[in-house]
Amino acid sequence: MTQHPQTPPPPAMVRWTPGLLQPRSAQRELLVPGPGVIRAGQETLSEAQAQEIAEEQAREELIQRLGIPTGADEVMDQFALQLAEQSGLLYGFVNIFLDQQTFVGLYNPPADSGHIILDRTMDREHGWCPAVVKRRRALPLADVHASPRFSGNYVVDAIGVRSYFGAPLIHRESGIVLGTVCGVDPEARPRSDARRILDIVKATGADVLHTLTTGALAH
């Protein structure tokens, strides 16, 4: 199990200044010319593509309305650290889906650990959080190489990830998926420990969602 330095718990109440995010609906006007397609400017979209754009617009509008952070946030960083400490995973994330995956909460290993230090954003096609958002269910990968579907992901070699555990952040009232809470590690995890780790990720996600939607730390 990876050891993490002890860090004081987050303060009883911390609030953030809401990030400024222009909803994509303000950037693109969608016209419906007929069944099954939507034309956005000169671009013709399939029904599935149009639905995806509509979902992204709804997510961005909800993020703005709730005042959810769109950049680094110290409260979310504490949740990422908590997840890493409790699960034993090397990295912890609170990931909000914008134009990129945005780690508003991030725990990296110490700078002198010899491990890669990650930035706050990642392409929407990389990693396994996009699969969690799409399926709307948690995804435990105790060993990513156990499944050909997941073993060829870009981050396997780029970061050296061997295990991934993630859960979606679903806004209860609207059903919109805001992003994920997840952790990764360069070592595979025993199958016998997968349930414990996933339960920690889910519990952290519940606390994160409460905080994001109420502006106060869960008790």
Side-chain angles (χ1 to χ4, degrees), residues 36-209:
V37 296
I38 289 183
R39 185 177 299 277
Q42 299 299 313
E43 182 182 3
T44 300
L45 306 175
S46 69
E47 189 171 356
Q49 290 172 320
Q51 181 177 354
E52 182 179 354
I53 289 175
E55 290 173 355
E56 291 178 356
Q57 289 176 348
R59 179 186 299 119
E60 291 176 359
E61 290 165 1
L62 180 61
I63 287 170
Q64 185 177 39
R65 177 166 63 82
L66 294 177
I68 289 175
T70 58
D73 182 87
E74 65 175 299
V75 178
M76 295 297 110
D77 282 348
Q78 290 291 339
F79 279 121
L81 170 60
Q82 171 187 306
L83 184 151
E85 287 184 331
Q86 294 182 357
S87 67
L89 299 172
L90 191 63
Y91 300 87
F93 308 87
V94 177
N95 184 4
I96 299 299
F97 266 53
L98 303 169
D99 289 337
Q100 293 181 300
Q101 298 181 67
T102 304
F103 306 137
V104 298
L106 174 62
Y107 175 76
N108 272 306
D112 60 355
S113 66
H115 294 285
I116 294 174
I117 303 302
L118 302 181
D119 201 352
R120 291 276 179 174
T121 60
M122 189 165 68
D123 190 278
R124 286 276 293 267
E125 302 303 317
H126 295 161
W128 300 278
C129 286
V132 172
V133 169
K134 186 175 182 178
R135 66 193 247 139
R136 302 172 62 89
R137 290 187 291 115
L139 178 62
L141 298 174
D143 184 351
V144 298
H145 293 311
S147 171
R149 175 186 175 191
F150 298 114
S151 64
N153 197 285
Y154 169 82
V155 300
V156 173
D157 293 326
I159 303 173
V161 175
R162 186 71 183 273
S163 56
Y164 167 91
F165 293 82
L169 296 169
I170 303 177
H171 184 245
R172 181 177 301 176
E173 288 76 11
S174 66
I176 293 171
V177 183
L178 298 168
T180 68
V181 167
C182 68
V184 300
D185 199 273
E187 297 181 5
R189 287 295 186 263
R191 280 180 164 270
S192 59
D193 200 30
R195 172 50 60 186
R196 179 191 70 85
I197 297 174
L198 188 60
D199 286 346
I200 290 169
V201 172
K202 287 181 175 180
T204 304
D207 287 345
V208 166
L209 189 62

Side-chain angles (χ1 to χ4, degrees), residues 12-32:
M13 175 77 75
V14 180
R15 293 183 179 274
W16 53 74
T17 301
L20 297 178
L21 176 66
Q22 183 183 18
R24 190 169 290 129
S25 56
Q27 304 169 7
R28 176 186 296 186
E29 181 179 0
L30 298 180
L31 303 176
V32 184

